[in-house]
Amino acid sequence: MPYALFCHEARLSKTYPTEADVWKLARQSGLVVDAVSEEEKPAPRPVLDNDYEIRPCRPDPQEDPVENRAEAERDAPLEFQLRS
């Protein structure tokens, strides 16, 4: 099942094949604001800004999650160069 970024019930991103893909894009977009440690878990975990969350969802009929990931990977180096 593909994953996407949500705020409440609104889907904010394209769908991607894995939850890790969405986390990576959220980090690149500056939406990961902190890491929280829980007593039961040995390592800190990332936290999304505001009420954002990553959830499984069905892609739109014309959408291909694998192509979305490939497009994001192609665009990432360009965005990095533009910000320099």
Side-chain angles (χ1 to χ4, degrees):
M1 173 77 57
Y3 289 81
L5 181 71
F6 286 81
C7 185
H8 302 288
E9 294 305 313
R11 190 175 97 181
L12 303 178
S13 73
K14 296 177 181 180
T15 58
Y16 296 91
T18 68
E19 185 176 4
D21 292 325
V22 184
W23 275 108
K24 180 179 177 181
L25 293 167
R27 278 188 196 91
Q28 291 172 346
S29 298
L31 300 178
V32 178
V33 294
D34 207 349
V36 174
S37 259
E38 296 178 6
E39 291 180 23
E40 303 87 34
K41 296 183 180 179
R45 63 177 179 83
V47 176
L48 292 169
D49 196 12
N50 297 322
D51 292 325
Y52 298 129
E53 60 183 326
I54 296 170
R55 300 193 317 224
C57 66
R58 295 200 186 284
D60 290 336
Q62 71 279 8
E63 189 176 29
D64 179 0
V66 174
E67 179 57 34
N68 290 342
R69 177 176 53 196
E71 181 181 314
E73 289 172 352
R74 282 191 306 268
D75 292 346
L78 178 62
E79 287 180 24
F80 180 77
Q81 290 172 355
L82 293 175
R83 292 181 185 175
S84 313

